[in-house]
Amino acid sequence: MSNNKTKLAIIIPCFNEELVIKSTVETLLSVLDGIIAKGKISEDSYIYLIDDGSKDRTWEIIEELHNMFGNKVRGVKFVRNYGNQKALIAGLLGVKELGCDCVISIDADLQQDENAIEKFVDEFHNGAEIVSGIRNDRKTDSFFKKYTALCFYKLMNILGVKIPPNHSDFRLVSYKGLEILEKYSEAGLFLRGFFHEIGLKTAYVYFDVKPRMAGHSKFNFLSLTSLALNGITAYSIVPLRIVVAMGLLTVIGSCLFAAEVVFEKYFLNDMPSGWATLVILLAFFGGLQIFCLGIIGEYIGQIFSEVKARPRYIKEKDI
């Protein structure tokens, strides 16, 4: 396939983005025009917006942009908010149905550098099926968010999911990648782990993060924690093995403690006393049991969500 025949789709998940969406679309259309002028993508490349149950004027603005730019701007609206990952999946599968050779996902606030899109396309033309965006730094994040994110990536690597640090959902996926994605029906699919797991040829593009143009991030501590837990439980059973190891160590420790009591009683004629020690041990092991049950509960929750086999999302409108 010649470069100028490459049909590129850009997907943008949106949730209450009325302050930025018009500016974002106009900026990305300008970027597309520049890449088209260089003969790297076809003129029928387009933008696909996913309104993830917004409560503001986001969908109205998307319809206005569609009327203004025609099929250059398309979109879908959910009946309610389903979350960023499901919005991304809807976008990826949506553009597969509409037709494209590759697709790039980017955030609606354009904190991710839109000028890096051309580099993604270049890597695709060089043979990469997946091109992942990696942040150069986390200067725009708060101290807490920066270090919790780094801890998450380190933890994921320890648990066996080798995701590069500062990896983001700013990525290019080829049509072949979309065909593989369509075969995965699980409700809680964690895309950063999925695109690493499938093993297609991958390249990396490094980019700078800009300050948000307007509004505020829709990711809070709870949503980020939920995303992290979903990523861990979806792609690693190491936490369950840690629970088994802690149980085994507890049994061994209890046996050693019992041996010490027997030794003091029959060889030293002394009985160990200390109600404080007993209380501390009871509190420790009680907390340990609850912690282990919590880990097991996360996996049971994943099973519960999957066996119901409910749709990932429900569309209300499509343009």
Side-chain angles (χ1 to χ4, degrees):
M1 180 187 298
S2 63
N3 291 356
N4 61 359
K5 296 296 184 182
T6 299
K7 187 175 182 179
L8 170 67
I10 297 179
I11 63 170
I12 310 171
C14 310
F15 178 62
N16 294 338
E17 298 289 1
E18 65 177 0
L19 297 177
V20 300
I21 195 62
K22 187 174 186 295
S23 172
T24 293
V25 168
E26 290 174 345
T27 299
L28 290 175
L29 285 174
S30 177
V31 171
L32 284 178
D33 288 342
I35 303 174
I36 290 169
K38 295 179 181 179
K40 295 184 177 182
I41 58 175
S42 68
E43 293 184 357
D44 55 352
S45 298
Y46 60 95
I47 294 172
Y48 189 77
L49 300 115
I50 308 95
D51 184 353
D52 189 17
S54 297
K55 301 299 183 183
D56 60 6
R57 294 187 63 251
T58 297
W59 181 249
E60 294 175 35
I61 297 172
I62 291 173
E63 288 181 319
E64 291 171 4
L65 291 166
H66 174 68
N67 293 332
M68 189 183 305
F69 297 106
N71 285 336
K72 279 285 186 181
V73 179
R74 311 180 189 188
V76 63
K77 177 177 173 59
F78 290 168
V79 296
R80 65 171 178 84
N81 180 252
Y82 288 93
N84 178 264
Q85 292 292 287
K86 291 180 181 179
L88 284 170
I89 292 171
L92 292 168
L93 297 181
V95 298
K96 179 183 180 296
E97 291 179 8
L98 291 172
C100 67
D101 297 304
C102 59
V103 52
I104 293 176
S105 55
I106 191 169
D107 290 346
D109 55 18
L110 281 193
Q111 284 191 278
Q112 297 153 330
D113 185 8
E114 69 278 2
N115 294 312
I117 289 175
E118 187 174 349
K119 298 178 183 177
F120 281 74
V121 174
D122 290 339
E123 293 292 347
F124 172 70
H125 289 152
N126 288 334
E129 301 282 357
I130 307 292
V131 185
S132 295
I134 309 291
R135 299 173 59 149
N136 284 322
D137 55 59
R138 306 193 74 96
K139 292 179 181 178
T140 57
D141 288 346
S142 64
F143 177 86
F144 178 78
K145 186 176 180 180
K146 179 191 298 183
Y147 286 98
T148 51
L150 291 175
C151 288
F152 166 71
Y153 286 113
K154 288 182 179 179
L155 178 61
M156 289 294 283
N157 276 269
I158 291 171
L159 296 179
V161 186
K162 305 299 182 183
I163 301 177
N166 295 328
H167 180 44
S168 72
D169 283 317
F170 186 24
R171 73 169 65 83
L172 178 146
V173 182
S174 69
Y175 188 82
K176 183 177 181 180
L178 296 179
E179 287 182 314
I180 296 172
L181 172 64
E182 196 172 35
K183 297 176 182 178
Y184 281 64
S185 60
E186 61 190 83
L189 190 62
F190 180 62
L191 291 175
R192 298 183 197 186
F194 165 77
F195 285 116
H196 168 80
E197 179 193 47
I198 58 177
L200 294 177
K201 183 179 179 181
T202 301
Y204 298 97
V205 168
Y206 292 84
F207 65 93
D208 293 319
V209 177
K210 303 175 293 184
R212 188 180 174 90
M213 292 185 294
H216 59 277
S217 173
K218 307 308 181 295
F219 275 106
N220 54 34
F221 175 73
L222 290 177
S223 59
L224 289 171
T225 301
S226 176
L227 179 65
L229 288 174
N230 180 60
I232 292 170
T233 54
Y235 281 95
S236 177
I237 61 168
V238 173
L240 292 176
R241 291 174 177 168
I242 291 174
V243 169
V244 173
M246 287 192 295
L248 181 61
L249 290 174
T250 301
V251 170
I252 294 172
S254 299
C255 292
L256 293 175
F257 185 71
E260 182 193 7
V261 171
V262 171
F263 179 80
E264 291 187 16
K265 170 65 177 177
Y266 292 101
F267 292 92
L268 302 180
N269 295 319
D270 185 29
M271 276 295 290
S273 60
W275 61 269
T277 303
L278 180 61
V279 170
I280 291 170
L281 288 174
L282 285 173
F284 171 76
F285 288 114
L288 181 63
Q289 286 175 334
I290 294 172
F291 174 74
C292 293
L293 285 173
I295 293 176
I296 296 170
E298 285 293 327
Y299 284 91
I300 293 175
Q302 285 277 14
I303 297 169
F304 179 66
S305 296
E306 295 298 332
V307 296
K308 288 185 292 186
R310 292 177 179 175
R312 289 183 179 131
Y313 47 81
I314 299 173
K315 299 178 181 180
E316 181 178 344
K317 296 179 182 178
D318 209 335
I319 54 174

